[in-house]
Amino acid sequence: MYLWLKLLHIFFVISWFAGLFYLPRIFVNLAMTNPDTAEHTRLLMMAKKLYAFMTPLGVLAVLFGLSIPFVTGWWGQGWVHVKTLLGLLLAFYHLYCGALLQAFHKNQNRHTHKWYRVFNEIPVLIMMAALYLVIFKPF
């Protein structure tokens, strides 16, 4: 059972991260375009479709990830608690991306393309930390 849960968790995490990496890149481009242009409309449509596609992937990644410690008995280990926290931070990042998308939809974006370039690096850092915890299990 553990290996099936692990396979599904890894599959959905990889798929979800593709969206988490690409959506803020679309935001970079949206922040650099005039809201009255066809390019802006096209990018906004792409962002909406991507967000709708990646949301169930994130939900499944979190659900399968949370099931693994219960099946393996790892729930008492400290690294699992930190990794769970990182997964929840990614879920909040995802939800915040949804709020940013709504701001673009309402022409109320308040950030520059440079801000979105930095914002785009957050999931990279969280992924590195989660991988460290899973591979080394430091505590």
Side-chain angles (χ1 to χ4, degrees):
M1 180 67 133
Y2 162 68
L3 291 178
W4 283 106
L5 292 173
K6 184 177 177 180
L7 171 98
L8 291 168
H9 177 59
I10 291 170
F11 172 79
F12 286 113
V13 165
I14 290 169
S15 302
W16 184 30
F17 264 92
L20 289 174
F21 290 154
Y22 190 55
L23 185 61
R25 294 301 305 165
I26 296 174
F27 292 164
V28 168
N29 293 309
L30 277 168
M32 295 185 340
T33 61
N34 183 332
D36 299 327
T37 63
E39 179 183 10
H40 188 85
T41 303
R42 182 179 50 82
L43 288 168
L44 190 56
M45 181 184 67
M46 287 172 55
K48 286 180 186 179
K49 287 182 177 184
L50 178 59
Y51 189 78
F53 179 75
M54 64 191 261
T55 297
L57 298 171
V59 169
L60 290 169
V62 170
L63 289 177
F64 283 114
L66 287 174
S67 67
I68 291 171
F70 290 105
V71 170
T72 59
W74 292 345
W75 197 248
Q77 298 183 21
W79 69 270
V80 172
H81 297 166
V82 177
K83 184 175 180 287
T84 301
L85 176 63
L86 293 175
L88 292 174
L89 287 174
L90 281 174
F92 284 116
Y93 180 89
H94 179 103
L95 294 172
Y96 188 59
C97 283
L100 293 170
L101 181 56
Q102 286 301 315
F104 275 113
H105 180 69
K106 296 175 183 176
N107 290 328
Q108 296 175 348
N109 173 47
R110 298 175 189 253
H111 304 290
T112 67
H113 67 95
K114 291 179 183 177
W115 185 89
Y116 286 108
R117 289 178 198 277
V118 173
F119 178 73
N120 190 43
E121 301 306 320
I122 293 171
V124 173
L125 299 172
I126 293 174
M127 179 178 62
M128 285 297 297
L131 286 172
Y132 170 80
L133 290 168
V134 170
I135 291 169
F136 293 103
K137 298 175 179 55
F139 46 89

